[in-house]
PDB file of all heavy atoms in Angstrom:
ATOM      1  N   THR A 268     -49.976  54.681  -7.904  1.00 72.00           N
ATOM      2  CA  THR A 268     -50.247  55.072  -9.280  1.00 72.00           C
ATOM      3  C   THR A 268     -48.997  55.626  -9.944  1.00 72.00           C
ATOM      4  O   THR A 268     -48.976  55.884 -11.139  1.00 72.00           O
ATOM      5  CB  THR A 268     -51.328  56.158  -9.288  1.00 72.00           C
ATOM      6  OG1 THR A 268     -50.928  57.275  -8.514  1.00 72.00           O
ATOM      7  CG2 THR A 268     -52.647  55.599  -8.745  1.00 72.00           C
ATOM      8  N   GLU A 269     -47.926  55.850  -9.138  1.00 78.00           N
ATOM      9  CA  GLU A 269     -46.667  56.341  -9.689  1.00 78.00           C
ATOM     10  C   GLU A 269     -45.979  55.187 -10.465  1.00 78.00           C
ATOM     11  O   GLU A 269     -46.244  54.026 -10.282  1.00 78.00           O
ATOM     12  CB  GLU A 269     -45.771  56.812  -8.569  1.00 78.00           C
ATOM     13  CG  GLU A 269     -46.344  57.907  -7.669  1.00 78.00           C
ATOM     14  CD  GLU A 269     -47.021  57.291  -6.453  1.00 78.00           C
ATOM     15  OE1 GLU A 269     -47.515  56.162  -6.536  1.00 78.00           O
ATOM     16  OE2 GLU A 269     -47.056  58.006  -5.424  1.00 78.00           O
ATOM     17  N   GLY A 270     -45.057  55.558 -11.311  1.00 85.00           N
ATOM     18  CA  GLY A 270     -44.292  54.546 -12.030  1.00 85.00           C
ATOM     19  C   GLY A 270     -43.363  53.752 -11.126  1.00 85.00           C
ATOM     20  O   GLY A 270     -42.949  54.260 -10.075  1.00 85.00           O
ATOM     21  N   PHE A 271     -43.140  52.533 -11.474  1.00 90.00           N
ATOM     22  CA  PHE A 271     -42.178  51.722 -10.714  1.00 90.00           C
ATOM     23  C   PHE A 271     -40.775  52.119 -11.040  1.00 90.00           C
ATOM     24  O   PHE A 271     -40.392  52.302 -12.233  1.00 90.00           O
ATOM     25  CB  PHE A 271     -42.374  50.221 -11.074  1.00 90.00           C
ATOM     26  CG  PHE A 271     -43.482  49.562 -10.360  1.00 90.00           C
ATOM     27  CD1 PHE A 271     -44.821  49.838 -10.705  1.00 90.00           C
ATOM     28  CD2 PHE A 271     -43.249  48.708  -9.297  1.00 90.00           C
ATOM     29  CE1 PHE A 271     -45.862  49.212 -10.021  1.00 90.00           C
ATOM     30  CE2 PHE A 271     -44.300  48.087  -8.609  1.00 90.00           C
ATOM     31  CZ  PHE A 271     -45.610  48.341  -8.975  1.00 90.00           C
ATOM     32  N   LYS A 272     -39.951  52.321 -10.022  1.00 92.00           N
ATOM     33  CA  LYS A 272     -38.539  52.780 -10.202  1.00 92.00           C
ATOM     34  C   LYS A 272     -37.607  51.748  -9.619  1.00 92.00           C
ATOM     35  O   LYS A 272     -37.899  51.179  -8.517  1.00 92.00           O
ATOM     36  CB  LYS A 272     -38.336  54.147  -9.554  1.00 92.00           C
ATOM     37  CG  LYS A 272     -39.157  55.232 -10.234  1.00 92.00           C
ATOM     38  CD  LYS A 272     -38.886  56.594  -9.564  1.00 92.00           C
ATOM     39  CE  LYS A 272     -39.704  57.702 -10.249  1.00 92.00           C
ATOM     40  NZ  LYS A 272     -39.458  59.029  -9.620  1.00 92.00           N
ATOM     41  N   LYS A 273     -36.480  51.561 -10.240  1.00 94.00           N
ATOM     42  CA  LYS A 273     -35.468  50.636  -9.761  1.00 94.00           C
ATOM     43  C   LYS A 273     -34.746  51.215  -8.547  1.00 94.00           C
ATOM     44  O   LYS A 273     -34.258  52.331  -8.590  1.00 94.00           O
ATOM     45  CB  LYS A 273     -34.470  50.324 -10.907  1.00 94.00           C
ATOM     46  CG  LYS A 273     -33.454  49.234 -10.558  1.00 94.00           C
ATOM     47  CD  LYS A 273     -32.552  49.021 -11.788  1.00 94.00           C
ATOM     48  CE  LYS A 273     -31.479  47.982 -11.504  1.00 94.00           C
ATOM     49  NZ  LYS A 273     -30.583  47.776 -12.678  1.00 94.00           N
ATOM     50  N   ARG A 274     -34.700  50.433  -7.471  1.00 96.00           N
ATOM     51  CA  ARG A 274     -34.005  50.833  -6.293  1.00 96.00           C
ATOM     52  C   ARG A 274     -33.180  49.706  -5.720  1.00 96.00           C
ATOM     53  O   ARG A 274     -33.444  48.546  -5.947  1.00 96.00           O
ATOM     54  CB  ARG A 274     -35.035  51.299  -5.206  1.00 96.00           C
ATOM     55  CG  ARG A 274     -35.857  52.526  -5.599  1.00 96.00           C
ATOM     56  CD  ARG A 274     -34.983  53.770  -5.561  1.00 96.00           C
ATOM     57  NE  ARG A 274     -35.720  54.991  -5.854  1.00 96.00           N
ATOM     58  CZ  ARG A 274     -35.653  55.643  -7.003  1.00 96.00           C
ATOM     59  NH1 ARG A 274     -34.861  55.196  -7.985  1.00 96.00           N
ATOM     60  NH2 ARG A 274     -36.332  56.734  -7.174  1.00 96.00           N
ATOM     61  N   TRP A 275     -32.154  50.105  -4.944  1.00 97.00           N
ATOM     62  CA  TRP A 275     -31.320  49.070  -4.243  1.00 97.00           C
ATOM     63  C   TRP A 275     -31.907  48.881  -2.860  1.00 97.00           C
ATOM     64  O   TRP A 275     -32.106  49.816  -2.111  1.00 97.00           O
ATOM     65  CB  TRP A 275     -29.864  49.608  -4.128  1.00 97.00           C
ATOM     66  CG  TRP A 275     -28.935  48.669  -3.359  1.00 97.00           C
ATOM     67  CD1 TRP A 275     -28.641  48.701  -2.045  1.00 97.00           C
ATOM     68  CD2 TRP A 275     -28.270  47.516  -3.900  1.00 97.00           C
ATOM     69  NE1 TRP A 275     -27.803  47.687  -1.716  1.00 97.00           N
ATOM     70  CE2 TRP A 275     -27.551  46.928  -2.829  1.00 97.00           C
ATOM     71  CE3 TRP A 275     -28.167  46.967  -5.167  1.00 97.00           C
ATOM     72  CZ2 TRP A 275     -26.752  45.805  -2.985  1.00 97.00           C
ATOM     73  CZ3 TRP A 275     -27.392  45.830  -5.339  1.00 97.00           C
ATOM     74  CH2 TRP A 275     -26.690  45.252  -4.268  1.00 97.00           C
ATOM     75  N   PHE A 276     -32.168  47.592  -2.544  1.00 97.00           N
ATOM     76  CA  PHE A 276     -32.796  47.256  -1.248  1.00 97.00           C
ATOM     77  C   PHE A 276     -31.821  46.500  -0.356  1.00 97.00           C
ATOM     78  O   PHE A 276     -31.048  45.672  -0.789  1.00 97.00           O
ATOM     79  CB  PHE A 276     -34.022  46.389  -1.490  1.00 97.00           C
ATOM     80  CG  PHE A 276     -35.215  47.133  -2.013  1.00 97.00           C
ATOM     81  CD1 PHE A 276     -35.308  47.434  -3.391  1.00 97.00           C
ATOM     82  CD2 PHE A 276     -36.215  47.591  -1.152  1.00 97.00           C
ATOM     83  CE1 PHE A 276     -36.379  48.161  -3.862  1.00 97.00           C
ATOM     84  CE2 PHE A 276     -37.304  48.288  -1.639  1.00 97.00           C
ATOM     85  CZ  PHE A 276     -37.381  48.580  -2.998  1.00 97.00           C
ATOM     86  N   THR A 277     -31.884  46.845   0.949  1.00 96.00           N
ATOM     87  CA  THR A 277     -31.112  46.147   1.982  1.00 96.00           C
ATOM     88  C   THR A 277     -32.054  45.702   3.039  1.00 96.00           C
ATOM     89  O   THR A 277     -32.801  46.518   3.631  1.00 96.00           O
ATOM     90  CB  THR A 277     -30.053  47.104   2.556  1.00 96.00           C
ATOM     91  OG1 THR A 277     -29.099  47.454   1.551  1.00 96.00           O
ATOM     92  CG2 THR A 277     -29.294  46.426   3.698  1.00 96.00           C
ATOM     93  N   LEU A 278     -32.053  44.389   3.353  1.00 96.00           N
ATOM     94  CA  LEU A 278     -32.865  43.877   4.423  1.00 96.00           C
ATOM     95  C   LEU A 278     -31.951  43.594   5.644  1.00 96.00           C
ATOM     96  O   LEU A 278     -31.116  42.679   5.624  1.00 96.00           O
ATOM     97  CB  LEU A 278     -33.556  42.582   3.994  1.00 96.00           C
ATOM     98  CG  LEU A 278     -34.411  41.896   5.053  1.00 96.00           C
ATOM     99  CD1 LEU A 278     -35.555  42.818   5.526  1.00 96.00           C
ATOM    100  CD2 LEU A 278     -35.008  40.585   4.516  1.00 96.00           C
ATOM    101  N   ASP A 279     -32.075  44.446   6.649  1.00 92.00           N
ATOM    102  CA  ASP A 279     -31.337  44.305   7.881  1.00 92.00           C
ATOM    103  C   ASP A 279     -32.299  43.909   9.000  1.00 92.00           C
ATOM    104  O   ASP A 279     -32.854  44.790   9.678  1.00 92.00           O
ATOM    105  CB  ASP A 279     -30.587  45.606   8.203  1.00 92.00           C
ATOM    106  CG  ASP A 279     -29.664  45.481   9.418  1.00 92.00           C
ATOM    107  OD1 ASP A 279     -29.454  44.350   9.871  1.00 92.00           O
ATOM    108  OD2 ASP A 279     -29.140  46.509   9.870  1.00 92.00           O
ATOM    109  N   HIS A 280     -32.465  42.632   9.156  1.00 88.00           N
ATOM    110  CA  HIS A 280     -33.472  42.053  10.077  1.00 88.00           C
ATOM    111  C   HIS A 280     -34.843  42.645   9.798  1.00 88.00           C
ATOM    112  O   HIS A 280     -35.411  42.372   8.729  1.00 88.00           O
ATOM    113  CB  HIS A 280     -33.024  42.253  11.552  1.00 88.00           C
ATOM    114  CG  HIS A 280     -33.827  41.389  12.483  1.00 88.00           C
ATOM    115  ND1 HIS A 280     -34.089  40.049  12.239  1.00 88.00           N
ATOM    116  CD2 HIS A 280     -34.440  41.693  13.662  1.00 88.00           C
ATOM    117  CE1 HIS A 280     -34.809  39.548  13.224  1.00 88.00           C
ATOM    118  NE2 HIS A 280     -35.021  40.534  14.103  1.00 88.00           N
ATOM    119  N   ARG A 281     -35.372  43.506  10.658  1.00 91.00           N
ATOM    120  CA  ARG A 281     -36.738  43.997  10.443  1.00 91.00           C
ATOM    121  C   ARG A 281     -36.796  45.299   9.659  1.00 91.00           C
ATOM    122  O   ARG A 281     -37.880  45.845   9.418  1.00 91.00           O
ATOM    123  CB  ARG A 281     -37.432  44.148  11.782  1.00 91.00           C
ATOM    124  CG  ARG A 281     -37.682  42.835  12.490  1.00 91.00           C
ATOM    125  CD  ARG A 281     -38.730  42.924  13.580  1.00 91.00           C
ATOM    126  NE  ARG A 281     -38.899  41.670  14.251  1.00 91.00           N
ATOM    127  CZ  ARG A 281     -39.674  40.668  13.810  1.00 91.00           C
ATOM    128  NH1 ARG A 281     -40.327  40.807  12.713  1.00 91.00           N
ATOM    129  NH2 ARG A 281     -39.766  39.528  14.536  1.00 91.00           N
ATOM    130  N   ARG A 282     -35.650  45.801   9.254  1.00 91.00           N
ATOM    131  CA  ARG A 282     -35.633  47.028   8.460  1.00 91.00           C
ATOM    132  C   ARG A 282     -35.342  46.754   6.974  1.00 91.00           C
ATOM    133  O   ARG A 282     -34.278  46.236   6.637  1.00 91.00           O
ATOM    134  CB  ARG A 282     -34.540  47.983   8.983  1.00 91.00           C
ATOM    135  CG  ARG A 282     -34.882  48.667  10.302  1.00 91.00           C
ATOM    136  CD  ARG A 282     -33.760  49.588  10.720  1.00 91.00           C
ATOM    137  NE  ARG A 282     -34.094  50.286  11.946  1.00 91.00           N
ATOM    138  CZ  ARG A 282     -34.690  51.468  12.005  1.00 91.00           C
ATOM    139  NH1 ARG A 282     -35.005  52.095  10.888  1.00 91.00           N
ATOM    140  NH2 ARG A 282     -34.979  52.011  13.140  1.00 91.00           N
ATOM    141  N   LEU A 283     -36.341  47.044   6.156  1.00 95.00           N
ATOM    142  CA  LEU A 283     -36.128  46.969   4.723  1.00 95.00           C
ATOM    143  C   LEU A 283     -35.914  48.393   4.197  1.00 95.00           C
ATOM    144  O   LEU A 283     -36.837  49.231   4.245  1.00 95.00           O
ATOM    145  CB  LEU A 283     -37.338  46.340   4.011  1.00 95.00           C
ATOM    146  CG  LEU A 283     -37.272  46.279   2.484  1.00 95.00           C
ATOM    147  CD1 LEU A 283     -36.155  45.377   2.025  1.00 95.00           C
ATOM    148  CD2 LEU A 283     -38.598  45.821   1.892  1.00 95.00           C
ATOM    149  N   MET A 284     -34.702  48.661   3.784  1.00 94.00           N
ATOM    150  CA  MET A 284     -34.306  50.026   3.351  1.00 94.00           C
ATOM    151  C   MET A 284     -34.136  50.057   1.853  1.00 94.00           C
ATOM    152  O   MET A 284     -33.695  49.074   1.275  1.00 94.00           O
ATOM    153  CB  MET A 284     -33.041  50.461   4.055  1.00 94.00           C
ATOM    154  CG  MET A 284     -33.167  50.508   5.554  1.00 94.00           C
ATOM    155  SD  MET A 284     -31.542  50.592   6.375  1.00 94.00           S
ATOM    156  CE  MET A 284     -31.024  48.866   6.290  1.00 94.00           C
ATOM    157  N   TYR A 285     -34.465  51.182   1.203  1.00 95.00           N
ATOM    158  CA  TYR A 285     -34.239  51.275  -0.218  1.00 95.00           C
ATOM    159  C   TYR A 285     -33.497  52.576  -0.534  1.00 95.00           C
ATOM    160  O   TYR A 285     -33.699  53.614   0.076  1.00 95.00           O
ATOM    161  CB  TYR A 285     -35.517  51.124  -1.033  1.00 95.00           C
ATOM    162  CG  TYR A 285     -36.665  52.035  -0.639  1.00 95.00           C
ATOM    163  CD1 TYR A 285     -36.902  53.246  -1.272  1.00 95.00           C
ATOM    164  CD2 TYR A 285     -37.571  51.613   0.343  1.00 95.00           C
ATOM    165  CE1 TYR A 285     -37.921  54.047  -0.934  1.00 95.00           C
ATOM    166  CE2 TYR A 285     -38.652  52.421   0.701  1.00 95.00           C
ATOM    167  CZ  TYR A 285     -38.830  53.651   0.041  1.00 95.00           C
ATOM    168  OH  TYR A 285     -39.885  54.452   0.374  1.00 95.00           O
ATOM    169  N   PHE A 286     -32.609  52.440  -1.528  1.00 95.00           N
ATOM    170  CA  PHE A 286     -31.686  53.498  -1.915  1.00 95.00           C
ATOM    171  C   PHE A 286     -31.723  53.712  -3.407  1.00 95.00           C
ATOM    172  O   PHE A 286     -31.972  52.780  -4.167  1.00 95.00           O
ATOM    173  CB  PHE A 286     -30.266  53.174  -1.484  1.00 95.00           C
ATOM    174  CG  PHE A 286     -30.073  52.827  -0.048  1.00 95.00           C
ATOM    175  CD1 PHE A 286     -30.351  51.520   0.410  1.00 95.00           C
ATOM    176  CD2 PHE A 286     -29.615  53.720   0.878  1.00 95.00           C
ATOM    177  CE1 PHE A 286     -30.173  51.164   1.736  1.00 95.00           C
ATOM    178  CE2 PHE A 286     -29.465  53.400   2.199  1.00 95.00           C
ATOM    179  CZ  PHE A 286     -29.743  52.106   2.626  1.00 95.00           C
ATOM    180  N   LYS A 287     -31.467  54.920  -3.853  1.00 94.00           N
ATOM    181  CA  LYS A 287     -31.355  55.162  -5.279  1.00 94.00           C
ATOM    182  C   LYS A 287     -30.079  54.508  -5.793  1.00 94.00           C
ATOM    183  O   LYS A 287     -30.022  53.974  -6.906  1.00 94.00           O
ATOM    184  CB  LYS A 287     -31.338  56.667  -5.560  1.00 94.00           C
ATOM    185  CG  LYS A 287     -31.334  56.994  -7.039  1.00 94.00           C
ATOM    186  CD  LYS A 287     -31.463  58.484  -7.286  1.00 94.00           C
ATOM    187  CE  LYS A 287     -31.519  58.778  -8.773  1.00 94.00           C
ATOM    188  NZ  LYS A 287     -31.638  60.256  -9.025  1.00 94.00           N
ATOM    189  N   ASP A 288     -29.030  54.585  -5.007  1.00 95.00           N
ATOM    190  CA  ASP A 288     -27.716  53.958  -5.364  1.00 95.00           C
ATOM    191  C   ASP A 288     -27.236  53.124  -4.187  1.00 95.00           C
ATOM    192  O   ASP A 288     -27.451  53.490  -3.019  1.00 95.00           O
ATOM    193  CB  ASP A 288     -26.693  55.086  -5.679  1.00 95.00           C
ATOM    194  CG  ASP A 288     -25.372  54.526  -6.139  1.00 95.00           C
ATOM    195  OD1 ASP A 288     -24.508  54.270  -5.275  1.00 95.00           O
ATOM    196  OD2 ASP A 288     -25.173  54.307  -7.356  1.00 95.00           O
ATOM    197  N   PRO A 289     -26.561  51.999  -4.420  1.00 96.00           N
ATOM    198  CA  PRO A 289     -26.100  51.155  -3.296  1.00 96.00           C
ATOM    199  C   PRO A 289     -25.185  51.860  -2.335  1.00 96.00           C
ATOM    200  O   PRO A 289     -25.084  51.444  -1.167  1.00 96.00           O
ATOM    201  CB  PRO A 289     -25.358  50.005  -4.019  1.00 96.00           C
ATOM    202  CG  PRO A 289     -25.955  49.944  -5.374  1.00 96.00           C
ATOM    203  CD  PRO A 289     -26.307  51.373  -5.714  1.00 96.00           C
ATOM    204  N   LEU A 290     -24.528  52.919  -2.763  1.00 96.00           N
ATOM    205  CA  LEU A 290     -23.533  53.600  -1.872  1.00 96.00           C
ATOM    206  C   LEU A 290     -24.096  54.963  -1.345  1.00 96.00           C
ATOM    207  O   LEU A 290     -23.338  55.762  -0.871  1.00 96.00           O
ATOM    208  CB  LEU A 290     -22.221  53.872  -2.626  1.00 96.00           C
ATOM    209  CG  LEU A 290     -21.454  52.603  -3.010  1.00 96.00           C
ATOM    210  CD1 LEU A 290     -20.207  52.978  -3.844  1.00 96.00           C
ATOM    211  CD2 LEU A 290     -21.017  51.853  -1.782  1.00 96.00           C
ATOM    212  N   ASP A 291     -25.411  55.102  -1.373  1.00 94.00           N
ATOM    213  CA  ASP A 291     -26.010  56.307  -0.783  1.00 94.00           C
ATOM    214  C   ASP A 291     -25.809  56.326   0.730  1.00 94.00           C
ATOM    215  O   ASP A 291     -25.853  55.278   1.373  1.00 94.00           O
ATOM    216  CB  ASP A 291     -27.509  56.384  -1.101  1.00 94.00           C
ATOM    217  CG  ASP A 291     -27.777  56.831  -2.538  1.00 94.00           C
ATOM    218  OD1 ASP A 291     -26.841  57.321  -3.193  1.00 94.00           O
ATOM    219  OD2 ASP A 291     -28.918  56.659  -2.989  1.00 94.00           O
ATOM    220  N   ALA A 292     -25.658  57.533   1.245  1.00 93.00           N
ATOM    221  CA  ALA A 292     -25.440  57.663   2.720  1.00 93.00           C
ATOM    222  C   ALA A 292     -26.760  57.459   3.464  1.00 93.00           C
ATOM    223  O   ALA A 292     -26.740  56.933   4.586  1.00 93.00           O
ATOM    224  CB  ALA A 292     -24.845  59.039   3.029  1.00 93.00           C
ATOM    225  N   PHE A 293     -27.864  57.898   2.900  1.00 92.00           N
ATOM    226  CA  PHE A 293     -29.128  57.785   3.555  1.00 92.00           C
ATOM    227  C   PHE A 293     -30.100  57.013   2.684  1.00 92.00           C
ATOM    228  O   PHE A 293     -30.114  57.109   1.457  1.00 92.00           O
ATOM    229  CB  PHE A 293     -29.753  59.182   3.842  1.00 92.00           C
ATOM    230  CG  PHE A 293     -28.979  59.976   4.861  1.00 92.00           C
ATOM    231  CD1 PHE A 293     -28.050  60.893   4.454  1.00 92.00           C
ATOM    232  CD2 PHE A 293     -29.209  59.777   6.217  1.00 92.00           C
ATOM    233  CE1 PHE A 293     -27.332  61.661   5.394  1.00 92.00           C
ATOM    234  CE2 PHE A 293     -28.480  60.515   7.153  1.00 92.00           C
ATOM    235  CZ  PHE A 293     -27.572  61.456   6.766  1.00 92.00           C
ATOM    236  N   ALA A 294     -30.980  56.217   3.336  1.00 91.00           N
ATOM    237  CA  ALA A 294     -32.024  55.546   2.619  1.00 91.00           C
ATOM    238  C   ALA A 294     -33.112  56.511   2.176  1.00 91.00           C
ATOM    239  O   ALA A 294     -33.426  57.471   2.897  1.00 91.00           O
ATOM    240  CB  ALA A 294     -32.630  54.424   3.522  1.00 91.00           C
ATOM    241  N   LYS A 295     -33.699  56.256   1.022  1.00 90.00           N
ATOM    242  CA  LYS A 295     -34.827  57.066   0.578  1.00 90.00           C
ATOM    243  C   LYS A 295     -36.092  56.739   1.404  1.00 90.00           C
ATOM    244  O   LYS A 295     -37.029  57.528   1.482  1.00 90.00           O
ATOM    245  CB  LYS A 295     -35.104  56.852  -0.899  1.00 90.00           C
ATOM    246  CG  LYS A 295     -33.982  57.389  -1.828  1.00 90.00           C
ATOM    247  CD  LYS A 295     -34.320  57.221  -3.277  1.00 90.00           C
ATOM    248  CE  LYS A 295     -35.454  58.180  -3.689  1.00 90.00           C
ATOM    249  NZ  LYS A 295     -35.059  59.601  -3.595  1.00 90.00           N
ATOM    250  N   GLY A 296     -36.088  55.540   1.945  1.00 90.00           N
ATOM    251  CA  GLY A 296     -37.233  55.117   2.771  1.00 90.00           C
ATOM    252  C   GLY A 296     -36.919  53.809   3.482  1.00 90.00           C
ATOM    253  O   GLY A 296     -36.000  53.081   3.110  1.00 90.00           O
TER     254      GLY A 296
END
Side-chain angles (χ1 to χ4, degrees):
T268 57
E269 304 93 330
F271 278 74
K272 295 181 180 180
K273 185 178 178 182
R274 295 289 183 255
W275 177 265
F276 286 80
T277 296
L278 179 59
D279 185 8
H280 194 44
R281 295 198 181 276
R282 286 180 177 269
L283 177 64
M284 299 164 281
Y285 52 94
F286 307 82
K287 186 175 182 180
D288 184 270
L290 294 175
D291 283 347
F293 293 96
K295 293 184 69 66

